[in-house]
Amino acid sequence: FAYIVAYIIWSLDIMRSMRRFSAGEKKYAAGVREFRIPGSVAYRVFYPANTQQASKFKGGNWFREGTSSFLTGYVYLAIAIDMESIWGTVLEGLCFTICFFLPPTWFTIPYCYKDAPLAQQADEEKKGFHTFPLVLFSHGLTGTGEEHAMFFTDLARRGVVVAILTHQDGSSSRVRKEDGSLLYYRKPNFKNYSMDFRPNQIKIRQEEMEAMRN
């Protein structure tokens, strides 16, 4: 129990310190929008937002399903319990209770606003509007992509569009699928390891990235 609490506190302290990452004057505000590809993954897009209008919109949530859900997924990685058992329910309740008593500002991304209007920068040479570069982000093992929201916000404020997803190949700490079910990190069976385990995950990742790009 003490190990779980210490792990949660450590994770929250990292989140607190990261809130200063995108501070300072930037050319744009940042906006964030959420999408779902039918039959595939959900993803988020961080983009340069109109500075004058962005503050009228609600602050963007750091995590799509809330900070407690994110913490639950990462603590699961540390202790690997059966999330459908009573201990899984206890873990979710513990993470929710801790987050309930934290300042509300911890759950929103500084300088980032949900569904804020896209910034438009005039391009005199082309007699039109400037287009922003696009970055497609694929998280690593046990990641979700959403833990890097501060970094994406900083890029958006500098004029870069960033699209991120949480893979449904079993490599994420926790992800909600289109049917509402939860998928936690799948650890390989090293006693009977299949050489196709990681290649199959790579194939799924490639398909999901192509779906998001299109």
Side-chain angles (χ1 to χ4, degrees):
F1 178 80
Y3 177 77
I4 295 175
V5 173
Y7 191 89
I8 292 174
I9 294 175
W10 173 74
S11 299
L12 292 173
D13 185 63
I14 291 177
M15 290 171 55
R16 179 186 59 80
S17 61
M18 286 182 65
R19 290 182 59 83
R20 300 190 297 268
F21 184 83
S22 189
E25 293 295 327
K26 302 291 192 304
K27 189 171 185 178
Y28 305 99
V32 59
R33 292 187 182 181
E34 300 180 0
F35 302 89
R36 163 74 72 174
I37 303 171
S40 186
V41 294
Y43 66 98
R44 307 177 89 184
V45 176
F46 292 80
Y47 56 90
N50 185 293
T51 305
Q52 285 72 35
Q53 300 181 32
S55 59
K56 300 177 183 178
F57 290 77
K58 182 180 178 181
N61 291 330
W62 195 330
F63 302 102
R64 184 183 294 108
E65 294 196 10
T67 306
S68 63
S69 297
F70 170 79
L71 287 177
T72 301
Y74 266 90
V75 175
Y76 164 79
L77 292 173
I79 58 179
I81 62 176
D82 182 2
M83 292 303 296
E84 295 184 358
S85 68
I86 183 63
W87 294 111
T89 303
V90 170
L91 174 59
E92 289 187 331
L94 176 62
C95 291
F96 177 83
T97 301
I98 292 175
C99 291
F100 180 80
F101 290 100
L102 293 176
T105 53
W106 277 35
F107 306 130
T108 56
I109 311 169
Y111 317 106
C112 186
Y113 304 91
K114 185 176 181 180
D115 299 327
L118 177 69
Q120 292 185 332
Q121 177 178 325
D123 189 331
E124 296 181 358
E125 293 183 2
K126 297 182 179 180
K127 296 182 179 180
F129 290 103
H130 175 72
T131 56
F132 299 106
L134 171 65
V135 173
L136 302 181
F137 183 87
S138 173
H139 64 77
L141 286 176
T142 74
T144 66
E146 297 183 348
E147 61 266 37
H148 304 291
M150 296 300 174
F151 176 56
F152 303 143
T153 296
D154 188 73
L155 288 176
R157 296 184 70 202
R158 296 174 186 270
V160 178
V161 176
V162 185
I164 71 165
L165 54 74
T166 303
H167 289 292
Q168 297 181 171
D169 61 344
S171 65
S172 171
S173 58
R174 168 177 164 140
V175 61
R176 188 174 298 277
K177 303 175 72 174
E178 188 176 22
D179 61 5
S181 62
L182 289 171
L183 175 64
Y184 288 87
Y185 179 71
R186 291 175 52 202
K187 295 183 178 180
N189 183 356
F190 291 107
K191 293 183 179 180
N192 188 23
Y193 186 75
S194 171
M195 296 302 294
D196 293 329
F197 184 79
R198 293 302 185 200
N200 286 339
Q201 286 186 320
I202 295 296
K203 182 180 179 181
I204 294 174
R205 282 169 164 255
Q206 181 179 359
E207 293 173 351
E208 292 174 341
M209 292 294 288
E210 290 178 350
M212 182 174 67
R213 182 191 63 183
N214 296 330

